[in-house]
């Protein structure tokens, strides 16, 4: 019922009387009023004027299953959405629901245990950001899973292209040298076979101020443009780009995508310092990204390839 009311208000754009709604939807005016109240509680701004009716004041920046899917042009990614207002981590939410369909999307407004790469946390502010995870069930080997991370990074980069987004290997999305999006890919696998992959995407959309620790490293669409944007429309763009790239990847592998990846990857040709999880470091120039998603660093002792799971790379913009 709530979705039908929102659809009517959006389609009309102006005032829709309670009577018209109750006739169209075949329910009492009291039921309409009750649902309007529930929609307001969900965060929609709806004006009620006597003798005119109800009007949706703005395309409210509300995240829910209906808003994410409304107008989404995909075949399977995001066709099944589970939104929970608060969770520990949308990646965990996806893992707990791994039986759901390929391409299912899990989103939240608050993460109280958001996870970042290399065991770090991920802090986000309520109402301003995108926190979502895509459950994927590709027929690939565990070794190939890191490529999905690159595919996801490319999808976000395409979706945020108009704001000047580029990729810092492996998949930090950066604008003007500051991070706007982080991606955490997790996997359940057997020796030869991936059971499922969870690709968690965090995007700073309307964030006006960041905590002191990351204030000089983080940015948002709002910080770049001064304009607040609708988060679900950004989500849909990401999901649509993700599906297009993922379809190519699952049919033909990463090779048709590598050139585009390298074009938007800012590391190539720049200094690189890789810090391994055991504390070892190597210095050199980043010269390439391999088709398996490793960064090739030219050091005094020759080229070494580093994989995204084991290192943090700086050289440009520091360790983000
Ligand atoms: C990083 O750059 O360190 C990766 C950050 C990934 C954050 C996203 S937000 C949605 C999903 N859920 C999580 O707990 N993490 C990812």
């Amino acid at each position: 019922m709530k979705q039908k009311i929102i659809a009517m208000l959006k389609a009309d754009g102006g005032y829709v009387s309670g009577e018209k709604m109750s006739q169209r939807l075949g329910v009492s005016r009291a039921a309409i009023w009750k649902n309007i109240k529930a929609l307001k509680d969900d965060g929609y701004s709806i004006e009620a004027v006597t003798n005119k009716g109800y009007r949706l004041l703005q395309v409210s920046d509300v995240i829910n299953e209906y808003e994410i899917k409304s107008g989404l042009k995909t075949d399977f990614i995001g066709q099944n959405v589970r939104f929970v207002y608060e969770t520990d981590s949308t990646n965990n939410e996806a893992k707990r629901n791994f039986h759901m369909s390929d391409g299912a999307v899990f989103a939240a407004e608050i993460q109280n245990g958001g996870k970042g790469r290399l065991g770090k946390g991920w802090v986000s502010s309520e109402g301003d950001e995108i926190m979502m995870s895509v459950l994927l069930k590709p027929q690939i080997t565990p070794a190939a899973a890191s490529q999905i991370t690159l595919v996801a990074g490319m999808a976000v980069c395409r979706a945020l292209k108009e704001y000047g987004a580029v990729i810092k290997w492996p998949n930090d999305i950066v604008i003007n040298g500051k991070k706007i999006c982080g991606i955490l890919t997790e996997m359940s696998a057997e020796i030869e076979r991936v059971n499922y992959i969870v690709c968690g995407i965090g995007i700073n959309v309307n964030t006006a101020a960041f905590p002191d620790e990351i204030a000089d490293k983080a940015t948002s669409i709002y910080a770049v443009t001064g304009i607040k944007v609708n988060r679900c429309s950004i989500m849909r763009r990401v999901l649509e780009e993700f599906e297009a790239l993922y379809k190519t990847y699952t049919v033909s592998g990463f090779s048709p995508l590598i050139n585009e990846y390298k074009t938007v990857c800012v590391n190539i040709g720049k200094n690189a310092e890789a810090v391994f999880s055991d504390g070892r470091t190597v210095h050199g120039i980043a010269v390439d990204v391999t088709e398996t998603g490793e960064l090739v660093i030219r050091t005094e002792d020759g080229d070494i390839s580093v994989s995204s799971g084991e290192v943090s790379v700086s050289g440009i913009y520091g360790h983000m």
Side-chain angles (χ1 to χ4, degrees), residues 113-233:
K115 301 186 288 185
R117 281 184 63 232
L118 307 168
K120 293 182 197 161
W122 181 261
V123 181
S124 3
S125 64
E126 181 180 354
D128 294 325
E129 296 167 21
I130 290 174
M131 292 152 241
M132 67 172 172
S133 301
V134 184
L135 175 69
L136 295 166
K137 301 184 175 173
Q139 308 264 312
I140 57 171
T141 61
S146 59
Q147 295 170 337
I148 304 261
T149 300
L150 304 192
V151 171
M154 288 173 70
V156 178
C157 193
R158 279 187 181 183
L160 303 183
K161 194 173 170 193
E162 68 184 273
Y163 307 111
V166 288
I167 300 179
K168 177 181 180 261
W169 181 90
N171 53 13
D172 284 340
I173 308 303
V174 174
I175 297 179
N176 299 334
K178 293 183 173 185
K179 182 159 160 174
I180 193 157
C181 164
I183 298 173
L184 175 68
T185 304
E186 298 184 81
M187 150 173 89
S188 156
E190 328 239 316
I191 292 174
E192 287 299 324
R193 189 172 67 94
V194 164
N195 298 324
Y196 63 85
I197 285 179
V198 171
C199 207
I201 300 171
I203 307 177
N204 307 325
V205 179
N206 293 322
T207 327
F210 292 94
D212 287 351
E213 321 82 80
I214 55 166
D216 59 335
K217 292 184 186 168
T219 193
S220 66
I221 295 179
Y222 179 69
V224 172
T225 61
I227 296 167
K228 298 218 171 182
V229 291
N230 180 274
R231 288 174 296 163
C232 287
S233 73

Side-chain angles (χ1 to χ4, degrees), residues 4 11 55 79 88 93 106 149-150 178 182 195 261 268 286:
K4 286 184 181 155
R55 183 167 69 108
Q79 288 304 320
D88 50 352
E93 201 67 36
F106 301 81
T149 300
L150 304 192
K178 293 183 173 185
N195 298 324
Y261 182 87
I268 298 185

Side-chain angles (χ1 to χ4, degrees), residues 12-24:
D12 190 282
Y15 292 98
V16 183
S17 71
E19 183 161 359
K20 189 171 170 186
M21 284 193 208
S22 72
Q23 276 171 5
R24 281 245 200 111

Side-chain angles (χ1 to χ4, degrees), residues 59-315:
V59 181
S60 313
D61 190 28
V62 174
I63 294 187
N64 57 39
E65 291 165 16
Y66 167 71
E67 290 289 344
I68 295 170
K69 284 173 68 175
S70 158
L72 176 69
K73 295 182 204 71
T74 61
D75 292 332
F76 70 102
I77 293 188
Q79 288 304 320
N80 208 351
V81 172
R82 183 164 290 184
F83 172 77
V84 284
Y85 199 84
E86 180 167 0
T87 183
D88 50 352
S89 149
T90 55
N91 271 28
N92 292 351
E93 201 67 36
K95 290 198 275 181
R96 286 190 286 267
N97 292 284
F98 68 90
H99 54 273
M100 279 177 67
S101 59
D102 190 15
V105 167
F106 301 81
E109 189 63 270
I110 301 174
Q111 287 188 141
N112 51 42
K115 301 186 288 185
R117 281 184 63 232
L118 307 168
K120 293 182 197 161
W122 181 261
V123 181
S124 3
S125 64
E126 181 180 354
D128 294 325
E129 296 167 21
I130 290 174
M131 292 152 241
M132 67 172 172
S133 301
V134 184
L135 175 69
L136 295 166
K137 301 184 175 173
Q139 308 264 312
I140 57 171
T141 61
S146 59
Q147 295 170 337
I148 304 261
T149 300
L150 304 192
V151 171
M154 288 173 70
V156 178
C157 193
R158 279 187 181 183
L160 303 183
K161 194 173 170 193
E162 68 184 273
Y163 307 111
V166 288
I167 300 179
K168 177 181 180 261
W169 181 90
N171 53 13
D172 284 340
I173 308 303
V174 174
I175 297 179
N176 299 334
K178 293 183 173 185
K179 182 159 160 174
I180 193 157
C181 164
I183 298 173
L184 175 68
T185 304
E186 298 184 81
M187 150 173 89
S188 156
E190 328 239 316
I191 292 174
E192 287 299 324
R193 189 172 67 94
V194 164
N195 298 324
Y196 63 85
I197 285 179
V198 171
C199 207
I201 300 171
I203 307 177
N204 307 325
V205 179
N206 293 322
T207 327
F210 292 94
D212 287 351
E213 321 82 80
I214 55 166
D216 59 335
K217 292 184 186 168
T219 193
S220 66
I221 295 179
Y222 179 69
V224 172
T225 61
I227 296 167
K228 298 218 171 182
V229 291
N230 180 274
R231 288 174 296 163
C232 287
S233 73
I234 301 285
M235 274 186 183
R236 284 194 293 276
R237 241 192 263 170
V238 171
L239 298 174
E240 285 164 8
E241 294 291 0
F242 198 2
E243 183 174 285
L245 289 159
Y246 183 79
K247 279 182 175 170
T248 303
Y249 171 74
T250 47
V251 172
S252 316
F254 196 62
S255 27
L257 305 177
I258 187 81
N259 280 343
E260 179 178 335
Y261 182 87
K262 287 193 216 173
T263 312
V264 289
C265 175
V266 284
N267 302 75
I268 298 185
K270 307 268 173 45
N271 285 330
E273 177 193 70
V275 181
F276 289 81
S277 39
D278 61 6
R280 231 167 8 105
T281 47
V282 293
H283 301 268
I285 305 277
V287 288
D288 202 6
V289 176
T290 68
E291 286 188 8
T292 51
E294 294 179 321
L295 184 72
V296 182
I297 302 180
R298 187 149 295 162
T299 73
E300 286 180 346
D301 304 321
D303 287 358
I304 62 150
S305 299
V306 295
S307 97
S308 58
E310 58 183 8
V311 295
S312 148
V313 164
S314 75

